[in-house]
Amino acid sequence: MKTPRILITEPIPETVIAYLKEFGHVTIGEKGQYNTEQILINELDGYDALLCMLSTPVTKAVLTSATNLKVVANFAVGYNNIDVDTASKLGIKVANTPDVLTEACGDFAMALLMATTRSFYKAERYLRDGKFKGWEPLGFLGMELRGKVLGIVGMGRIGQAFAQRAKAFGMKIMYHNRSQLPPLLERELDCTYISNLEELARQSDVLSLNCPLTQETHHLIDNHIFSNMPTHSILINISRGPVIDEAALAKALHTGEIAGAGLDVFENEPKVHPELLTAPNCTILPHIASATFETREAIGMLAADAIKKVLEGARDKDISNLVTG
Ligand code: DGY
């Protein structure tokens, strides 16, 4: 059998590259090199496998141009950058990386919540700018977590990991989801299902987005939701930027409709809405929720393993992380 050709769109952990090299000819792109449709259309034809990032636009045009392609493995749990329907029509398998980033993202959501409620970055900048002249009784006051309601939108693996951590900080957990969790799991997480999103927004001191980006969740959080959130409340987003109408969020922050936001993802990454950059109490980070050594290696190995199995002709049911259209 001919050695398969594998394109990795940008550098990933060495162990993963070494693993792929055991069975394929591997080409590695440079950071951001494959972030446009046109370059993929020009260069992907002839490859058997694509290991891509969430910033790689694997569109219908890209998939139809790659006549030899058998598998696309996304280096991410989200796969909104891939046209899964077209891939299945063309018989191209699509894989993602569920489970392995749950703990890193759960940790990160908690850290982002605390950084936002306690103004870490604003306070740090204040110190670095030489403005700290001694302990201040009224300096940088923030919301305490014990007894507050964390409203989670999207109670999948990452939402649950966040809920467990927040529980340990004494928060009460409410959630909104496509479907209610089984009673046993609800009891274990000690969480309350709220079927109506506006109602969850009204009741939450912290509203956290942990849902995938789909047609239904695009701009799920808009002016209407902000008008339902209490003025002291905080919005956290580690899911996907377009779940929020960013212009509406910027307005809500500038007018004091809500008290703050912690954002790891943006509507038009890597661009950030200019009015979010100037908004008061907005923690903004460059999409790093899963960025731990352990997790990024595990993400890579899971994606690489799906590539190996597809190329070896494994049955779909033996590849646990396949996504279907
Ligand atoms: C994912 O895998 O979808 C995450 O956004 C990466 O941090």
Side-chain angles (χ1 to χ4, degrees):
M1 195 184 103
K2 245 177 77 206
T3 308
R5 293 180 65 205
I6 302 167
L7 175 64
I8 309 176
T9 56
E10 46 188 283
I12 58 172
E14 276 304 326
T15 37
V16 184
I17 296 171
Y19 177 67
L20 288 166
K21 281 184 175 168
E22 285 172 17
F23 59 90
H25 280 309
V26 174
T27 305
I28 306 166
E30 283 164 20
K31 187 169 155 20
Q33 185 184 343
Y34 289 99
N35 282 359
T36 67
E37 194 180 41
Q38 197 52 51
I39 189 149
L40 289 161
I41 292 173
N42 294 345
E43 298 190 15
L44 192 58
D45 199 17
Y47 282 97
D48 299 272
L50 173 67
L51 198 161
C52 62
M53 307 301 129
L54 49 89
S55 50
T56 319
V58 188
T59 60
K60 181 172 184 176
V62 169
L63 290 162
T64 43
S65 72
T67 53
N68 216 27
L69 197 63
K70 296 162 188 73
V71 53
V72 177
N74 215 27
F75 193 91
V77 61
Y79 49 87
N80 49 289
N81 56 310
I82 302 172
D83 182 343
V84 178
D85 286 338
T86 299
S88 3
K89 282 187 197 123
L90 295 170
I92 299 169
K93 307 289 180 201
V94 176
N96 69 334
T97 63
D99 294 322
V100 290
L101 42 66
T102 304
E103 303 307 324
C105 290
D107 287 353
F108 183 85
M110 200 64 223
L112 185 56
L113 168 56
M114 298 203 69
T116 307
T117 52
R118 306 298 293 271
S119 305
F120 279 5
Y121 297 108
K122 209 159 59 174
E124 199 209 19
R125 223 168 20 241
Y126 177 84
L127 183 144
R128 286 183 192 275
D129 290 347
K131 294 181 181 155
F132 179 45
K133 304 290 180 217
W135 188 83
E136 298 165 47
L138 296 177
F140 298 103
L141 303 184
M143 176 170 79
E144 217 157 285
L145 300 184
R146 180 159 300 278
K148 300 297 187 314
V149 172
L150 170 62
I152 297 184
V153 181
M155 198 57 142
R157 287 171 284 250
I158 296 174
Q160 291 175 32
F162 188 20
Q164 281 164 345
R165 286 153 176 84
K167 195 85 212 130
F169 279 77
M171 297 189 80
K172 294 188 197 131
I173 314 298
M174 295 185 179
Y175 75 99
H176 175 77
N177 202 37
R178 264 174 314 190
S179 50
Q180 190 167 356
L181 296 181
L184 202 65
L185 190 53
E186 266 192 353
R187 257 204 307 283
E188 204 177 292
L189 293 166
D190 193 10
C191 59
T192 308
Y193 177 62
I194 308 285
S195 61
N196 181 292
L197 180 60
E198 286 87 353
E199 184 55 30
L200 183 72
R202 268 195 293 279
Q203 295 211 33
S204 298
D205 300 292
V206 177
L207 191 68
S208 169
L209 308 181
N210 297 94
C211 54
L213 173 63
T214 62
Q215 272 171 7
E216 291 73 45
T217 62
H218 183 265
H219 281 194
L220 185 69
I221 306 301
D222 57 5
N223 275 319
H224 175 66
I225 297 295
F226 291 123
S227 68
N228 279 284
M229 290 173 70
T231 49
H232 70 270
S233 67
I234 301 276
L235 180 70
I236 298 293
N237 190 12
I238 67 163
S239 65
R240 287 291 181 263
V243 175
I244 301 178
D245 175 348
E246 250 175 30
L249 171 60
K251 184 178 137 269
L253 287 168
H254 280 281
T255 58
E257 207 168 10
I258 64 170
L263 309 171
D264 185 46
V265 288
F266 303 92
E267 203 169 339
N268 298 301
E269 279 175 31
K271 291 199 193 99
V272 178
H273 193 294
E275 284 167 31
L276 285 181
L277 293 171
T278 57
N281 202 15
C282 186
T283 309
I284 41 178
L285 294 169
H287 203 148
I288 55 169
S290 69
T292 65
F293 293 112
E294 297 87 344
T295 289
R296 289 290 164 85
E297 187 170 307
I299 289 178
M301 288 310 275
L302 192 57
D305 206 45
I307 290 178
K308 183 165 188 278
K309 286 182 175 147
V310 171
L311 295 179
E312 285 172 353
R315 290 171 306 181
D316 285 7
K317 68 179 180 58
D318 294 326
I319 312 173
S320 63
N321 54 325
L322 279 191
V323 170
T324 46

